[in-house]
mmCIF file of all heavy atoms in Angstrom:
data_model
loop_
_atom_site.group_PDB
_atom_site.id
_atom_site.type_symbol
_atom_site.label_atom_id
_atom_site.label_comp_id
_atom_site.label_asym_id
_atom_site.label_seq_id
_atom_site.Cartn_x
_atom_site.Cartn_y
_atom_site.Cartn_z
ATOM 1 N N GLY O 1 96.834 114.970 79.521
ATOM 2 C CA GLY O 1 97.580 115.510 78.396
ATOM 3 C C GLY O 1 98.368 114.439 77.671
ATOM 4 O O GLY O 1 98.339 113.258 78.017
ATOM 5 N N GLU O 2 99.058 114.895 76.625
ATOM 6 C CA GLU O 2 99.865 113.967 75.832
ATOM 7 C C GLU O 2 101.266 114.563 75.650
ATOM 8 O O GLU O 2 101.426 115.540 74.906
ATOM 9 C CB GLU O 2 99.204 113.745 74.468
ATOM 10 C CG GLU O 2 99.901 112.714 73.616
ATOM 11 C CD GLU O 2 99.949 111.335 74.265
ATOM 12 O OE1 GLU O 2 98.930 110.929 74.867
ATOM 13 O OE2 GLU O 2 101.001 110.685 74.156
ATOM 14 N N PRO O 3 102.251 114.073 76.352
ATOM 15 C CA PRO O 3 102.183 112.955 77.309
ATOM 16 C C PRO O 3 101.608 113.431 78.642
ATOM 17 O O PRO O 3 101.704 114.608 78.972
ATOM 18 C CB PRO O 3 103.646 112.545 77.443
ATOM 19 C CG PRO O 3 104.399 113.821 77.208
ATOM 20 C CD PRO O 3 103.638 114.560 76.158
ATOM 21 N N PRO O 4 101.029 112.531 79.437
ATOM 22 C CA PRO O 4 100.437 112.926 80.713
ATOM 23 C C PRO O 4 101.503 113.275 81.732
ATOM 24 O O PRO O 4 102.593 112.704 81.753
ATOM 25 C CB PRO O 4 99.633 111.694 81.126
ATOM 26 C CG PRO O 4 100.304 110.559 80.454
ATOM 27 C CD PRO O 4 100.832 111.089 79.163
ATOM 28 N N LEU O 5 101.154 114.230 82.607
ATOM 29 C CA LEU O 5 102.012 114.624 83.727
ATOM 30 C C LEU O 5 101.290 114.281 85.020
ATOM 31 O O LEU O 5 100.055 114.258 85.070
ATOM 32 C CB LEU O 5 102.344 116.115 83.668
ATOM 33 C CG LEU O 5 103.073 116.597 82.402
ATOM 34 C CD1 LEU O 5 103.291 118.098 82.464
ATOM 35 C CD2 LEU O 5 104.389 115.870 82.235
ATOM 36 N N SER O 6 102.050 114.025 86.074
ATOM 37 C CA SER O 6 101.432 113.548 87.313
ATOM 38 C C SER O 6 102.149 114.114 88.519
ATOM 39 O O SER O 6 103.252 114.666 88.430
ATOM 40 C CB SER O 6 101.444 112.016 87.363
ATOM 41 O OG SER O 6 102.779 111.533 87.351
ATOM 42 N N ALA O 7 101.479 113.966 89.682
ATOM 43 C CA ALA O 7 102.032 114.316 90.987
ATOM 44 C C ALA O 7 101.484 113.312 91.988
ATOM 45 O O ALA O 7 100.436 112.694 91.769
ATOM 46 C CB ALA O 7 101.663 115.741 91.386
ATOM 47 N N SER O 8 102.190 113.134 93.080
ATOM 48 C CA SER O 8 101.762 112.184 94.109
ATOM 49 C C SER O 8 101.582 112.896 95.438
ATOM 50 O O SER O 8 102.201 113.936 95.693
ATOM 51 C CB SER O 8 102.784 111.049 94.256
ATOM 52 O OG SER O 8 104.043 111.564 94.650
ATOM 53 N N VAL O 9 100.737 112.315 96.290
ATOM 54 C CA VAL O 9 100.454 112.877 97.603
ATOM 55 C C VAL O 9 100.359 111.730 98.601
ATOM 56 O O VAL O 9 99.829 110.656 98.282
ATOM 57 C CB VAL O 9 99.153 113.714 97.582
ATOM 58 C CG1 VAL O 9 97.981 112.909 97.089
ATOM 59 C CG2 VAL O 9 98.847 114.284 98.955
ATOM 60 N N THR O 10 100.891 111.961 99.810
ATOM 61 C CA THR O 10 100.878 110.953 100.865
ATOM 62 C C THR O 10 99.845 111.321 101.912
ATOM 63 O O THR O 10 99.805 112.466 102.387
ATOM 64 C CB THR O 10 102.262 110.834 101.515
ATOM 65 O OG1 THR O 10 103.209 110.483 100.516
ATOM 66 C CG2 THR O 10 102.262 109.776 102.596
ATOM 67 N N LEU O 11 98.975 110.373 102.267
ATOM 68 C CA LEU O 11 97.935 110.559 103.280
ATOM 69 C C LEU O 11 98.262 109.702 104.488
ATOM 70 O O LEU O 11 98.703 108.546 104.355
ATOM 71 C CB LEU O 11 96.560 110.189 102.728
ATOM 72 C CG LEU O 11 96.094 110.930 101.465
ATOM 73 C CD1 LEU O 11 94.746 110.398 101.031
ATOM 74 C CD2 LEU O 11 96.018 112.419 101.719
ATOM 75 N N HIS O 12 98.008 110.257 105.676
ATOM 76 C CA HIS O 12 98.180 109.533 106.933
ATOM 77 C C HIS O 12 96.810 109.394 107.580
ATOM 78 O O HIS O 12 96.127 110.396 107.816
ATOM 79 C CB HIS O 12 99.136 110.277 107.852
ATOM 80 C CG HIS O 12 100.528 110.397 107.303
ATOM 81 N ND1 HIS O 12 101.507 109.458 107.512
ATOM 82 C CD2 HIS O 12 101.094 111.343 106.507
ATOM 83 C CE1 HIS O 12 102.618 109.821 106.900
ATOM 84 N NE2 HIS O 12 102.396 110.973 106.273
ATOM 85 N N VAL O 13 96.410 108.171 107.863
ATOM 86 C CA VAL O 13 95.081 107.884 108.413
ATOM 87 C C VAL O 13 95.258 107.178 109.751
ATOM 88 O O VAL O 13 96.053 106.229 109.866
ATOM 89 C CB VAL O 13 94.256 107.009 107.448
ATOM 90 C CG1 VAL O 13 92.885 106.723 108.036
ATOM 91 C CG2 VAL O 13 94.120 107.696 106.093
ATOM 92 N N LEU O 14 94.492 107.654 110.776
ATOM 93 C CA LEU O 14 94.489 107.041 112.103
ATOM 94 C C LEU O 14 93.114 106.473 112.385
ATOM 95 O O LEU O 14 92.106 107.171 112.205
ATOM 96 C CB LEU O 14 94.855 108.071 113.171
ATOM 97 C CG LEU O 14 96.273 108.655 113.126
ATOM 98 C CD1 LEU O 14 96.458 109.645 114.252
ATOM 99 C CD2 LEU O 14 97.319 107.563 113.191
ATOM 100 N N LEU O 15 93.066 105.226 112.801
ATOM 101 C CA LEU O 15 91.812 104.601 113.212
ATOM 102 C C LEU O 15 91.644 104.809 114.704
ATOM 103 O O LEU O 15 92.536 104.484 115.496
ATOM 104 C CB LEU O 15 91.822 103.106 112.878
ATOM 105 C CG LEU O 15 92.093 102.743 111.408
ATOM 106 C CD1 LEU O 15 91.936 101.235 111.220
ATOM 107 C CD2 LEU O 15 91.174 103.500 110.481
ATOM 108 N N VAL O 16 90.482 105.358 115.112
ATOM 109 C CA VAL O 16 90.246 105.702 116.516
ATOM 110 C C VAL O 16 88.931 105.094 116.948
ATOM 111 O O VAL O 16 88.052 104.756 116.144
ATOM 112 C CB VAL O 16 90.226 107.232 116.703
ATOM 113 C CG1 VAL O 16 91.569 107.830 116.365
ATOM 114 C CG2 VAL O 16 89.142 107.858 115.834
ATOM 115 N N ASP O 17 88.794 104.961 118.283
ATOM 116 C CA ASP O 17 87.556 104.424 118.841
ATOM 117 C C ASP O 17 86.464 105.469 118.899
ATOM 118 O O ASP O 17 85.288 105.155 118.854
ATOM 119 C CB ASP O 17 87.819 103.865 120.241
ATOM 120 C CG ASP O 17 88.746 102.660 120.181
ATOM 121 O OD1 ASP O 17 88.734 101.965 119.143
ATOM 122 O OD2 ASP O 17 89.497 102.440 121.148
ATOM 123 N N GLY O 18 86.809 106.704 119.056
ATOM 124 C CA GLY O 18 85.833 107.792 119.120
ATOM 125 C C GLY O 18 86.554 109.104 118.949
ATOM 126 O O GLY O 18 87.739 109.238 119.282
ATOM 127 N N PHE O 19 85.849 110.107 118.487
ATOM 128 C CA PHE O 19 86.496 111.383 118.204
ATOM 129 C C PHE O 19 86.824 112.157 119.465
ATOM 130 O O PHE O 19 87.491 113.172 119.406
ATOM 131 C CB PHE O 19 85.616 112.239 117.285
ATOM 132 C CG PHE O 19 85.619 111.745 115.874
ATOM 133 C CD1 PHE O 19 84.463 111.266 115.278
ATOM 134 C CD2 PHE O 19 86.780 111.752 115.136
ATOM 135 C CE1 PHE O 19 84.472 110.821 113.981
ATOM 136 C CE2 PHE O 19 86.799 111.296 113.830
ATOM 137 C CZ PHE O 19 85.642 110.836 113.254
ATOM 138 N N SER O 20 86.336 111.695 120.660
ATOM 139 C CA SER O 20 86.676 112.365 121.905
ATOM 140 C C SER O 20 88.028 111.920 122.434
ATOM 141 O O SER O 20 88.572 112.501 123.362
ATOM 142 C CB SER O 20 85.600 112.094 122.962
ATOM 143 O OG SER O 20 85.498 110.697 123.219
ATOM 144 N N GLN O 21 88.587 110.865 121.908
ATOM 145 C CA GLN O 21 89.868 110.347 122.356
ATOM 146 C C GLN O 21 90.987 111.261 121.896
ATOM 147 O O GLN O 21 91.033 111.672 120.745
ATOM 148 C CB GLN O 21 90.079 108.946 121.791
ATOM 149 C CG GLN O 21 91.422 108.324 122.167
ATOM 150 C CD GLN O 21 91.587 106.964 121.527
ATOM 151 O OE1 GLN O 21 90.640 106.448 120.962
ATOM 152 N NE2 GLN O 21 92.770 106.407 121.632
ATOM 153 N N PRO O 22 91.906 111.629 122.806
ATOM 154 C CA PRO O 22 93.017 112.495 122.383
ATOM 155 C C PRO O 22 94.027 111.697 121.573
ATOM 156 O O PRO O 22 94.800 110.914 122.113
ATOM 157 C CB PRO O 22 93.616 112.977 123.709
ATOM 158 C CG PRO O 22 93.283 111.898 124.690
ATOM 159 C CD PRO O 22 91.952 111.324 124.257
ATOM 160 N N PHE O 23 94.003 111.917 120.278
ATOM 161 C CA PHE O 23 94.871 111.123 119.410
ATOM 162 C C PHE O 23 96.189 111.819 119.139
ATOM 163 O O PHE O 23 97.222 111.194 119.083
ATOM 164 C CB PHE O 23 94.172 110.866 118.075
ATOM 165 C CG PHE O 23 92.798 110.307 118.260
ATOM 166 C CD1 PHE O 23 91.687 111.108 118.115
ATOM 167 C CD2 PHE O 23 92.630 108.994 118.604
ATOM 168 C CE1 PHE O 23 90.433 110.589 118.287
ATOM 169 C CE2 PHE O 23 91.368 108.487 118.774
ATOM 170 C CZ PHE O 23 90.266 109.284 118.623
ATOM 171 N N LEU O 24 96.111 113.108 118.934
ATOM 172 C CA LEU O 24 97.309 113.808 118.512
ATOM 173 C C LEU O 24 97.785 114.725 119.622
ATOM 174 O O LEU O 24 96.973 115.339 120.330
ATOM 175 C CB LEU O 24 97.016 114.659 117.262
ATOM 176 C CG LEU O 24 96.513 113.858 116.059
ATOM 177 C CD1 LEU O 24 96.215 114.818 114.914
ATOM 178 C CD2 LEU O 24 97.550 112.833 115.633
ATOM 179 N N PRO O 25 99.094 114.858 119.829
ATOM 180 C CA PRO O 25 99.599 115.760 120.868
ATOM 181 C C PRO O 25 99.341 117.203 120.496
ATOM 182 O O PRO O 25 99.352 117.580 119.332
ATOM 183 C CB PRO O 25 101.105 115.446 120.889
ATOM 184 C CG PRO O 25 101.400 114.929 119.516
ATOM 185 C CD PRO O 25 100.162 114.179 119.093
ATOM 186 N N LEU O 26 99.060 118.005 121.548
ATOM 187 C CA LEU O 26 98.843 119.423 121.323
ATOM 188 C C LEU O 26 100.159 120.085 120.987
ATOM 189 O O LEU O 26 101.216 119.685 121.481
ATOM 190 C CB LEU O 26 98.240 120.067 122.579
ATOM 191 C CG LEU O 26 96.835 119.581 122.941
ATOM 192 C CD1 LEU O 26 96.394 120.229 124.242
ATOM 193 C CD2 LEU O 26 95.854 119.892 121.837
ATOM 194 N N PRO O 27 100.128 121.105 120.164
ATOM 195 C CA PRO O 27 101.382 121.794 119.845
ATOM 196 C C PRO O 27 101.942 122.479 121.069
ATOM 197 O O PRO O 27 101.209 122.974 121.915
ATOM 198 C CB PRO O 27 100.959 122.801 118.760
ATOM 199 C CG PRO O 27 99.499 122.982 118.956
ATOM 200 C CD PRO O 27 98.981 121.668 119.465
ATOM 201 N N ASP O 28 103.257 122.453 121.179
ATOM 202 C CA ASP O 28 103.911 123.085 122.314
ATOM 203 C C ASP O 28 103.725 124.585 122.261
ATOM 204 O O ASP O 28 103.737 125.199 121.198
ATOM 205 C CB ASP O 28 105.409 122.768 122.308
ATOM 206 C CG ASP O 28 105.645 121.268 122.477
ATOM 207 O OD1 ASP O 28 104.764 120.617 123.090
ATOM 208 O OD2 ASP O 28 106.671 120.771 121.976
ATOM 209 N N ALA O 29 103.539 125.142 123.501
ATOM 210 C CA ALA O 29 103.395 126.594 123.589
ATOM 211 C C ALA O 29 104.732 127.250 123.317
ATOM 212 O O ALA O 29 105.780 126.697 123.653
ATOM 213 C CB ALA O 29 102.885 126.987 124.978
ATOM 214 N N PRO O 30 104.762 128.407 122.715
ATOM 215 C CA PRO O 30 106.026 129.092 122.462
ATOM 216 C C PRO O 30 106.755 129.377 123.757
ATOM 217 O O PRO O 30 106.150 129.627 124.797
ATOM 218 C CB PRO O 30 105.597 130.377 121.736
ATOM 219 C CG PRO O 30 104.254 130.074 121.186
ATOM 220 C CD PRO O 30 103.627 129.118 122.137
ATOM 221 N N ALA O 31 108.080 129.308 123.712
ATOM 222 C CA ALA O 31 108.872 129.506 124.919
ATOM 223 C C ALA O 31 108.751 130.913 125.457
ATOM 224 O O ALA O 31 108.868 131.140 126.659
ATOM 225 C CB ALA O 31 110.342 129.192 124.620
ATOM 226 N N ASP O 32 108.497 131.879 124.585
ATOM 227 C CA ASP O 32 108.415 133.264 125.025
ATOM 228 C C ASP O 32 107.009 133.673 125.406
ATOM 229 O O ASP O 32 106.740 134.848 125.572
ATOM 230 C CB ASP O 32 108.925 134.190 123.917
ATOM 231 C CG ASP O 32 108.161 133.971 122.638
ATOM 232 O OD1 ASP O 32 107.409 132.972 122.563
ATOM 233 O OD2 ASP O 32 108.319 134.783 121.708
ATOM 234 N N ALA O 33 106.070 132.724 125.563
ATOM 235 C CA ALA O 33 104.697 133.039 125.952
ATOM 236 C C ALA O 33 104.308 132.159 127.129
ATOM 237 O O ALA O 33 103.653 131.139 126.971
ATOM 238 C CB ALA O 33 103.742 132.844 124.781
ATOM 239 N N PRO O 34 104.739 132.463 128.387
ATOM 240 C CA PRO O 34 104.417 131.634 129.557
ATOM 241 C C PRO O 34 102.932 131.647 129.839
ATOM 242 O O PRO O 34 102.214 132.611 129.570
ATOM 243 C CB PRO O 34 105.215 132.302 130.688
ATOM 244 C CG PRO O 34 105.409 133.717 130.237
ATOM 245 C CD PRO O 34 105.538 133.658 128.750
ATOM 246 N N VAL O 35 102.480 130.527 130.398
ATOM 247 C CA VAL O 35 101.067 130.378 130.714
ATOM 248 C C VAL O 35 100.734 131.259 131.915
ATOM 249 O O VAL O 35 101.412 131.220 132.949
ATOM 250 C CB VAL O 35 100.736 128.899 131.006
ATOM 251 C CG1 VAL O 35 99.278 128.752 131.355
ATOM 252 C CG2 VAL O 35 101.106 128.051 129.803
ATOM 253 N N ASP O 36 99.704 132.036 131.837
ATOM 254 C CA ASP O 36 99.293 132.954 132.892
ATOM 255 C C ASP O 36 97.826 132.712 133.183
ATOM 256 O O ASP O 36 96.971 132.942 132.332
ATOM 257 C CB ASP O 36 99.528 134.397 132.442
ATOM 258 C CG ASP O 36 99.358 135.390 133.590
ATOM 259 O OD1 ASP O 36 99.005 134.936 134.701
ATOM 260 O OD2 ASP O 36 99.566 136.597 133.361
ATOM 261 N N ASP O 37 97.553 132.202 134.467
ATOM 262 C CA ASP O 37 96.176 131.902 134.862
ATOM 263 C C ASP O 37 95.536 133.038 135.640
ATOM 264 O O ASP O 37 94.426 132.881 136.159
ATOM 265 C CB ASP O 37 96.146 130.626 135.724
ATOM 266 C CG ASP O 37 96.534 129.408 134.908
ATOM 267 O OD1 ASP O 37 96.370 129.487 133.677
ATOM 268 O OD2 ASP O 37 97.001 128.415 135.496
ATOM 269 N N ARG O 38 96.211 134.161 135.769
ATOM 270 C CA ARG O 38 95.628 135.243 136.565
ATOM 271 C C ARG O 38 94.355 135.789 135.931
ATOM 272 O O ARG O 38 93.449 136.205 136.649
ATOM 273 C CB ARG O 38 96.654 136.372 136.716
ATOM 274 C CG ARG O 38 97.842 135.994 137.608
ATOM 275 C CD ARG O 38 98.803 137.155 137.742
ATOM 276 N NE ARG O 38 99.389 137.476 136.443
ATOM 277 C CZ ARG O 38 100.206 138.506 136.238
ATOM 278 N NH1 ARG O 38 100.509 139.314 137.239
ATOM 279 N NH2 ARG O 38 100.705 138.726 135.037
ATOM 280 N N LEU O 39 94.304 135.790 134.646
ATOM 281 C CA LEU O 39 93.094 136.300 133.998
ATOM 282 C C LEU O 39 91.883 135.452 134.370
ATOM 283 O O LEU O 39 90.799 135.970 134.628
ATOM 284 C CB LEU O 39 93.288 136.311 132.483
ATOM 285 C CG LEU O 39 92.100 136.809 131.651
ATOM 286 C CD1 LEU O 39 91.750 138.238 132.034
ATOM 287 C CD2 LEU O 39 92.406 136.715 130.170
ATOM 288 N N THR O 40 92.077 134.135 134.439
ATOM 289 C CA THR O 40 90.967 133.255 134.826
ATOM 290 C C THR O 40 90.516 133.537 136.246
ATOM 291 O O THR O 40 89.316 133.577 136.558
ATOM 292 C CB THR O 40 91.410 131.795 134.672
ATOM 293 O OG1 THR O 40 91.853 131.569 133.342
ATOM 294 C CG2 THR O 40 90.263 130.845 135.001
ATOM 295 N N VAL O 41 91.495 133.740 137.159
ATOM 296 C CA VAL O 41 91.139 134.050 138.554
ATOM 297 C C VAL O 41 90.367 135.346 138.628
ATOM 298 O O VAL O 41 89.355 135.460 139.341
ATOM 299 C CB VAL O 41 92.421 134.111 139.412
ATOM 300 C CG1 VAL O 41 92.094 134.532 140.839
ATOM 301 C CG2 VAL O 41 93.120 132.754 139.416
ATOM 302 N N TYR O 42 90.812 136.363 137.886
ATOM 303 C CA TYR O 42 90.111 137.642 137.905
ATOM 304 C C TYR O 42 88.674 137.495 137.404
ATOM 305 O O TYR O 42 87.735 138.083 137.954
ATOM 306 C CB TYR O 42 90.846 138.652 137.018
ATOM 307 C CG TYR O 42 92.220 139.043 137.543
ATOM 308 C CD1 TYR O 42 93.194 139.528 136.683
ATOM 309 C CD2 TYR O 42 92.529 138.915 138.906
ATOM 310 C CE1 TYR O 42 94.450 139.880 137.154
ATOM 311 C CE2 TYR O 42 93.787 139.257 139.380
ATOM 312 C CZ TYR O 42 94.743 139.732 138.504
ATOM 313 O OH TYR O 42 95.977 140.072 138.965
#
């Protein structure tokens, strides 16, 4: 446009050896949802 308008965006790039490598931490489980393995045992 005249005059031109703009916006900016920030990108974060990680270089890894392979996609099987755990690069990013898993999100924490909610405090009110305890892990229950009984279903797996059943």
Side-chain angles (χ1 to χ4, degrees):
E2 185 60 41
L5 301 178
S6 62
S8 61
V9 56
T10 301
L11 303 178
H12 297 271
V13 180
L14 295 180
L15 304 185
V16 296
D17 294 332
F19 286 116
S20 60
Q21 178 182 351
F23 308 102
L24 301 178
L26 295 177
D28 297 333
D32 56 349
V35 179
D36 190 357
D37 293 336
R38 291 181 296 176
L39 179 60
T40 304
V41 176
Y42 293 156

